[in-house]
Amino acid sequence: MKLKFPAYEEIAELIIRARDEDMRGDDVTSRLLIPADQEGVGTIVQKQAGVVAGLPIVEMVCRAY
């Protein structure tokens, strides 16, 4: 059975709420662990052939940031 990913409109509020919580400026975890002038970059690496699940959601979250 193949599952269908929800449309962005169906989960947009959840993604935006999570982003807003991270970007408020008073996120305790971020404040304690990441210097204010730090800039980050992420890379997704697949080490061997396989099935990657969740890429549509990853794209939605990345676009929100």
Side-chain angles (χ1 to χ4, degrees):
M1 178 170 96
K2 186 175 180 179
L3 298 176
K4 182 182 173 201
F5 278 92
Y8 177 76
E9 295 76 27
E10 296 177 73
I11 59 171
E13 183 180 351
L14 177 63
I15 292 171
I16 299 304
R17 285 177 145 204
R19 183 206 59 197
D20 289 349
E21 191 276 332
D22 286 344
M23 304 296 283
R24 279 192 311 219
D26 63 344
D27 182 75
V28 175
T29 304
S30 296
R31 187 173 61 239
L32 293 174
L33 299 177
I34 305 169
D37 61 345
Q38 185 92 26
E39 188 172 309
V41 175
T43 303
I44 298 173
V45 178
Q46 184 174 334
K47 295 183 179 183
Q48 62 185 31
V51 176
V52 179
L55 286 180
I57 302 272
V58 171
E59 181 180 1
M60 291 176 200
V61 171
C62 288
R63 288 182 186 277
Y65 280 83

Coordinates of all heavy atoms in Angstrom, one line a residue:
M1 N 0.8 -1.2 0.0 CA 0.0 0.0 0.0 C 0.9 1.2 0.0 O 1.8 1.4 0.8 CB -0.9 0.0 1.2 CG -1.8 1.2 1.3 SD -3.0 1.1 2.6 CE -2.2 1.9 3.9
K2 N 0.7 2.1 -0.9 CA 1.5 3.3 -1.0 C 0.7 4.5 -0.3 O -0.4 4.7 -0.6 CB 1.7 3.7 -2.5 CG 2.6 4.9 -2.7 CD 2.9 5.1 -4.2 CE 3.8 6.3 -4.3 NZ 4.2 6.6 -5.7
L3 N 1.4 5.1 0.6 CA 0.8 6.2 1.3 C 1.1 7.5 0.6 O 2.1 7.7 0.0 CB 1.4 6.4 2.7 CG 1.1 5.2 3.7 CD1 1.9 5.4 5.0 CD2 -0.3 5.0 3.9
K4 N 0.1 8.4 0.6 CA 0.3 9.7 -0.1 C 0.7 10.8 1.0 O 0.1 10.8 2.1 CB -1.1 10.1 -0.7 CG -1.0 11.4 -1.4 CD -2.4 11.7 -2.0 CE -2.3 13.1 -2.6 NZ -3.6 13.7 -2.7
F5 N 1.7 11.6 0.6 CA 2.1 12.7 1.5 C 1.0 13.7 1.5 O 0.3 14.0 0.5 CB 3.4 13.3 1.0 CG 4.6 12.6 1.5 CD1 5.1 11.6 0.7 CD2 5.2 12.8 2.7 CE1 6.2 10.9 1.1 CE2 6.3 12.1 3.1 CZ 6.8 11.1 2.3
P6 N 0.8 14.4 2.7 CA -0.2 15.4 2.7 C 0.2 16.6 1.9 O 1.4 16.9 1.7 CB -0.3 15.8 4.2 CG 1.0 15.3 4.8 CD 1.4 14.1 4.0
A7 N -0.7 17.3 1.4 CA -0.4 18.5 0.6 C 0.1 19.6 1.6 O -0.2 19.6 2.8 CB -1.7 19.1 -0.1
Y8 N 0.9 20.5 1.1 CA 1.5 21.6 1.9 C 0.3 22.3 2.7 O 0.5 22.6 3.9 CB 2.3 22.6 1.1 CG 2.8 23.7 1.9 CD1 3.9 23.5 2.8 CD2 2.2 25.0 1.9 CE1 4.4 24.6 3.6 CE2 2.7 26.0 2.7 CZ 3.7 25.8 3.5 OH 4.2 26.8 4.3
E9 N -0.8 22.6 2.0 CA -1.9 23.3 2.7 C -2.4 22.5 3.9 O -2.9 23.1 4.8 CB -3.0 23.5 1.7 CG -2.7 24.4 0.5 CD -1.8 23.7 -0.5 OE1 -1.8 22.5 -0.7 OE2 -1.0 24.5 -1.2
E10 N -2.3 21.2 3.9 CA -2.8 20.4 5.0 C -1.9 20.5 6.2 O -2.3 20.3 7.4 CB -2.9 18.9 4.6 CG -4.0 18.7 3.5 CD -4.0 17.3 3.1 OE1 -4.5 16.5 3.9 OE2 -3.5 17.0 2.0
I11 N -0.6 20.7 6.0 CA 0.4 20.7 7.2 C 1.1 22.1 7.3 O 2.0 22.2 8.2 CB 1.4 19.6 7.1 CG1 2.2 19.7 5.8 CG2 0.7 18.2 7.2 CD1 3.3 18.7 5.7
A12 N 0.7 23.1 6.5 CA 1.4 24.4 6.5 C 1.4 25.0 7.9 O 2.4 25.5 8.4 CB 0.8 25.3 5.5
E13 N 0.3 24.9 8.6 CA 0.2 25.6 9.9 C 1.2 24.9 10.9 O 1.9 25.6 11.6 CB -1.2 25.4 10.5 CG -1.3 26.1 11.9 CD -2.7 26.1 12.5 OE1 -3.6 25.6 11.8 OE2 -2.8 26.4 13.7
L14 N 1.3 23.6 10.9 CA 2.3 22.9 11.7 C 3.7 23.3 11.4 O 4.5 23.6 12.3 CB 2.1 21.4 11.6 CG 3.1 20.5 12.4 CD1 2.9 20.7 13.9 CD2 2.9 19.1 12.0
I15 N 4.1 23.3 10.1 CA 5.4 23.7 9.7 C 5.7 25.2 10.1 O 6.8 25.4 10.7 CB 5.6 23.5 8.2 CG1 5.5 22.1 7.8 CG2 6.9 24.2 7.7 CD1 5.5 21.8 6.4
I16 N 4.8 26.1 9.9 CA 5.0 27.5 10.2 C 5.1 27.7 11.8 O 5.9 28.4 12.2 CB 3.9 28.4 9.7 CG1 3.8 28.3 8.1 CG2 4.0 29.8 10.1 CD1 5.1 28.6 7.4
R17 N 4.3 27.0 12.5 CA 4.4 27.1 14.0 C 5.7 26.6 14.5 O 6.3 27.2 15.4 CB 3.2 26.3 14.7 CG 1.9 26.9 14.6 CD 0.9 26.0 15.2 NE -0.1 26.8 15.8 CZ -0.9 26.4 16.8 NH1 -0.8 25.2 17.3 NH2 -1.8 27.3 17.3
A18 N 6.2 25.5 14.0 CA 7.5 25.0 14.4 C 8.6 26.0 14.0 O 9.5 26.2 14.8 CB 7.8 23.6 13.7
R19 N 8.5 26.5 12.8 CA 9.5 27.5 12.3 C 9.5 28.7 13.2 O 10.5 29.2 13.7 CB 9.3 27.9 10.9 CG 10.3 28.9 10.4 CD 9.9 29.8 9.3 NE 8.7 30.6 9.7 CZ 7.9 31.2 8.9 NH1 8.1 31.0 7.6 NH2 6.9 31.9 9.3
D20 N 8.3 29.2 13.5 CA 8.2 30.4 14.3 C 8.7 30.2 15.7 O 9.3 31.1 16.3 CB 6.7 30.9 14.4 CG 6.2 31.4 13.1 OD1 7.0 31.7 12.2 OD2 5.0 31.6 12.9
E21 N 8.5 29.0 16.3 CA 9.0 28.7 17.6 C 10.5 28.7 17.6 O 11.2 29.2 18.5 CB 8.5 27.3 18.1 CG 8.8 27.0 19.5 CD 10.2 26.5 19.8 OE1 10.7 25.8 18.9 OE2 10.7 26.7 20.9
D22 N 11.1 28.2 16.5 CA 12.6 28.2 16.4 C 13.2 29.6 16.2 O 14.3 29.9 16.6 CB 13.0 27.3 15.2 CG 12.9 25.9 15.5 OD1 12.8 25.5 16.7 OD2 12.9 25.1 14.6
M23 N 12.4 30.5 15.5 CA 12.9 31.8 15.1 C 12.5 32.9 16.0 O 12.9 34.1 15.8 CB 12.4 32.1 13.7 CG 12.7 31.1 12.6 SD 14.4 30.9 12.3 CE 14.7 32.3 11.3
R24 N 11.9 32.6 17.1 CA 11.4 33.7 18.0 C 12.6 34.5 18.6 O 12.4 35.6 19.1 CB 10.6 33.1 19.2 CG 9.2 32.8 18.9 CD 8.4 32.5 20.1 NE 9.1 31.5 21.0 CZ 8.6 30.6 21.7 NH1 7.2 30.5 21.6 NH2 9.2 29.8 22.4
G25 N 13.7 33.9 18.7 CA 14.8 34.6 19.3 C 15.0 34.3 20.8 O 16.0 34.6 21.4
D26 N 14.0 33.6 21.4 CA 14.2 33.2 22.7 C 14.1 31.7 22.9 O 13.7 31.2 23.9 CB 13.2 33.9 23.6 CG 11.7 33.5 23.3 OD1 11.5 33.0 22.2 OD2 10.8 33.8 24.1
D27 N 14.4 31.0 21.8 CA 14.4 29.5 21.9 C 15.6 29.1 22.8 O 16.8 29.3 22.5 CB 14.6 28.9 20.5 CG 14.6 27.4 20.5 OD1 13.5 26.9 20.6 OD2 15.7 26.8 20.3
V28 N 15.3 28.5 23.9 CA 16.3 28.1 24.9 C 17.3 27.2 24.4 O 18.5 27.5 24.6 CB 15.6 27.5 26.1 CG1 16.6 27.0 27.1 CG2 14.6 28.5 26.8
T29 N 17.0 26.2 23.6 CA 17.9 25.2 23.1 C 18.9 26.0 22.2 O 20.1 25.8 22.3 CB 17.2 24.1 22.4 OG1 16.3 23.5 23.2 CG2 18.2 23.1 21.9
S30 N 18.4 26.7 21.2 CA 19.2 27.5 20.3 C 20.1 28.4 21.0 O 21.3 28.6 20.7 CB 18.4 28.2 19.3 OG 17.6 27.3 18.5
R31 N 19.6 29.2 22.0 CA 20.3 30.2 22.7 C 21.5 29.6 23.4 O 22.6 30.1 23.5 CB 19.4 31.0 23.6 CG 20.1 32.1 24.3 CD 19.2 33.0 25.1 NE 18.6 32.3 26.2 CZ 17.2 32.1 26.3 NH1 16.4 32.6 25.5 NH2 16.8 31.4 27.4
L32 N 21.3 28.4 24.0 CA 22.3 27.7 24.8 C 23.4 27.0 24.0 O 24.5 26.9 24.4 CB 21.7 26.7 25.8 CG 20.9 27.3 26.9 CD1 20.2 26.2 27.7 CD2 21.7 28.2 27.8
L33 N 23.0 26.6 22.8 CA 23.9 25.7 22.0 C 24.5 26.4 20.8 O 25.5 25.9 20.3 CB 23.2 24.5 21.6 CG 22.7 23.6 22.7 CD1 21.9 22.4 22.1 CD2 23.8 23.1 23.6
I34 N 23.9 27.4 20.3 CA 24.4 28.0 19.0 C 24.7 29.5 19.2 O 23.8 30.3 19.5 CB 23.3 27.8 17.9 CG1 22.9 26.4 17.8 CG2 23.7 28.4 16.6 CD1 21.6 26.1 17.0
P35 N 25.9 29.9 18.9 CA 26.3 31.3 19.0 C 25.4 32.1 18.0 O 25.0 31.7 16.9 CB 27.7 31.3 18.5 CG 28.3 30.0 18.7 CD 27.1 29.1 18.5
A36 N 25.1 33.4 18.4 CA 24.2 34.2 17.6 C 24.7 34.5 16.2 O 23.9 34.7 15.3 CB 23.9 35.5 18.4
D37 N 26.0 34.5 16.0 CA 26.5 34.9 14.7 C 26.8 33.6 13.9 O 27.4 33.7 12.8 CB 27.8 35.7 14.9 CG 28.9 35.0 15.6 OD1 28.6 33.9 16.3 OD2 30.1 35.4 15.6
Q38 N 26.5 32.4 14.4 CA 26.7 31.2 13.7 C 25.7 31.0 12.5 O 24.5 31.3 12.6 CB 26.5 30.0 14.6 CG 26.8 28.7 14.1 CD 28.3 28.3 14.3 OE1 28.9 28.7 15.3 NE2 28.8 27.4 13.5
E39 N 26.2 30.5 11.4 CA 25.4 30.2 10.2 C 25.5 28.8 9.9 O 26.6 28.2 10.0 CB 25.8 31.1 9.1 CG 24.9 31.0 7.9 CD 25.2 32.0 6.8 OE1 25.4 33.2 7.1 OE2 25.3 31.6 5.6
G40 N 24.4 28.1 9.6 CA 24.5 26.7 9.4 C 24.1 26.3 7.9 O 23.4 27.0 7.3
V41 N 24.6 25.1 7.5 CA 24.3 24.6 6.2 C 24.0 23.1 6.5 O 24.7 22.5 7.3 CB 25.4 24.8 5.2 CG1 25.1 24.0 3.9 CG2 25.7 26.2 5.0
G42 N 23.0 22.5 5.8 CA 22.8 21.1 6.0 C 23.0 20.3 4.7 O 22.7 20.9 3.6
T43 N 23.4 19.1 4.8 CA 23.6 18.2 3.6 C 22.9 16.9 4.0 O 23.2 16.4 5.0 CB 25.1 18.0 3.3 OG1 25.6 19.3 3.1 CG2 25.2 17.2 2.1
I44 N 22.2 16.4 3.0 CA 21.6 15.0 3.2 C 22.5 14.1 2.4 O 22.6 14.3 1.1 CB 20.1 15.0 2.8 CG1 19.3 15.9 3.7 CG2 19.6 13.6 2.8 CD1 17.9 16.1 3.3
V45 N 23.0 13.1 3.0 CA 23.9 12.1 2.3 C 23.3 10.7 2.3 O 23.0 10.2 3.4 CB 25.3 12.1 2.9 CG1 26.2 11.1 2.2 CG2 25.9 13.5 2.9
Q46 N 23.2 10.1 1.2 CA 22.7 8.7 1.1 C 24.0 7.9 0.9 O 24.6 8.0 -0.2 CB 21.7 8.6 0.0 CG 21.1 7.2 -0.1 CD 20.0 7.1 -1.1 OE1 19.4 8.1 -1.4 NE2 19.8 5.9 -1.6
K47 N 24.3 7.0 1.8 CA 25.6 6.3 1.8 C 25.5 5.0 0.9 O 26.5 4.5 0.4 CB 26.0 5.9 3.2 CG 26.4 7.0 4.0 CD 26.8 6.6 5.4 CE 27.2 7.8 6.2 NZ 27.8 7.5 7.5
Q48 N 24.3 4.5 0.6 CA 24.1 3.4 -0.2 C 22.7 3.4 -0.8 O 21.8 4.2 -0.4 CB 24.3 2.1 0.5 CG 23.3 1.8 1.6 CD 23.7 0.6 2.4 OE1 24.8 0.2 2.5 NE2 22.6 -0.1 2.9
A49 N 22.5 2.6 -1.9 CA 21.2 2.6 -2.5 C 20.1 2.2 -1.5 O 20.4 1.4 -0.6 CB 21.2 1.6 -3.7
G50 N 19.0 2.8 -1.6 CA 17.9 2.5 -0.7 C 16.7 3.3 -1.0 O 16.6 4.0 -2.0
V51 N 15.8 3.3 -0.1 CA 14.5 4.0 -0.3 C 14.6 5.2 0.7 O 14.9 5.0 1.9 CB 13.3 3.2 0.1 CG1 12.0 4.0 0.0 CG2 13.2 2.0 -0.9
V52 N 14.4 6.4 0.2 CA 14.4 7.6 1.0 C 12.9 8.0 1.3 O 12.2 8.2 0.3 CB 15.1 8.7 0.4 CG1 15.1 10.0 1.2 CG2 16.6 8.3 0.0
A53 N 12.6 8.1 2.5 CA 11.2 8.4 2.9 C 11.2 9.9 3.4 O 12.1 10.3 4.1 CB 10.6 7.5 3.9
G54 N 10.2 10.6 3.1 CA 10.0 11.9 3.7 C 10.5 13.1 2.9 O 10.4 14.2 3.4
L55 N 11.1 12.9 1.8 CA 11.7 14.0 1.0 C 10.7 15.1 0.7 O 11.0 16.3 0.8 CB 12.4 13.5 -0.2 CG 13.7 12.8 0.0 CD1 14.3 12.4 -1.4 CD2 14.7 13.6 0.8
P56 N 9.4 14.8 0.4 CA 8.5 15.9 0.2 C 8.3 16.8 1.4 O 8.2 18.0 1.3 CB 7.2 15.2 -0.2 CG 7.6 13.9 -0.8 CD 8.8 13.5 0.0
I57 N 8.3 16.2 2.6 CA 8.2 16.9 3.9 C 9.5 17.8 4.1 O 9.4 18.9 4.5 CB 7.9 16.0 5.0 CG1 6.7 15.2 4.8 CG2 7.9 16.8 6.3 CD1 5.4 15.7 5.2
V58 N 10.6 17.2 3.8 CA 11.9 17.9 4.0 C 11.9 19.1 3.1 O 12.3 20.2 3.6 CB 13.1 17.0 3.6 CG1 14.4 17.8 3.6 CG2 13.2 15.8 4.6
E59 N 11.4 19.0 1.9 CA 11.4 20.2 1.0 C 10.4 21.2 1.5 O 10.8 22.4 1.5 CB 10.9 19.7 -0.4 CG 10.9 20.9 -1.4 CD 10.4 20.5 -2.8 OE1 10.1 19.3 -3.0 OE2 10.4 21.4 -3.6
M60 N 9.3 20.8 2.0 CA 8.3 21.8 2.6 C 8.9 22.6 3.8 O 8.8 23.8 3.9 CB 7.1 21.1 3.1 CG 6.2 20.5 2.0 SD 4.8 19.6 2.7 CE 4.3 18.6 1.4
V61 N 9.6 21.9 4.6 CA 10.2 22.5 5.8 C 11.3 23.4 5.4 O 11.4 24.6 5.8 CB 10.7 21.4 6.8 CG1 11.6 22.1 7.9 CG2 9.6 20.7 7.4
C62 N 12.2 23.0 4.4 CA 13.3 23.8 4.0 C 12.8 25.1 3.3 O 13.3 26.2 3.5 CB 14.2 23.1 3.0 SG 15.2 21.8 3.8
R63 N 11.7 25.0 2.5 CA 11.1 26.2 1.9 C 10.6 27.2 2.9 O 10.6 28.4 2.7 CB 10.1 25.8 0.9 CG 10.6 25.2 -0.3 CD 9.5 24.8 -1.3 NE 10.0 24.1 -2.5 CZ 10.6 24.6 -3.5 NH1 10.8 25.9 -3.6 NH2 11.1 23.9 -4.5
A64 N 10.1 26.6 4.0 CA 9.5 27.5 5.1 C 10.6 28.4 5.8 O 10.3 29.4 6.2 CB 8.8 26.7 6.1
Y65 N 11.8 27.8 5.8 CA 12.9 28.6 6.4 C 13.6 29.5 5.4 O 14.2 30.5 5.6 CB 14.0 27.6 7.0 CG 13.5 27.1 8.3 CD1 12.7 26.0 8.4 CD2 14.0 27.8 9.5 CE1 12.3 25.6 9.7 CE2 13.6 27.3 10.7 CZ 12.8 26.2 10.8 OH 12.4 25.8 12.0

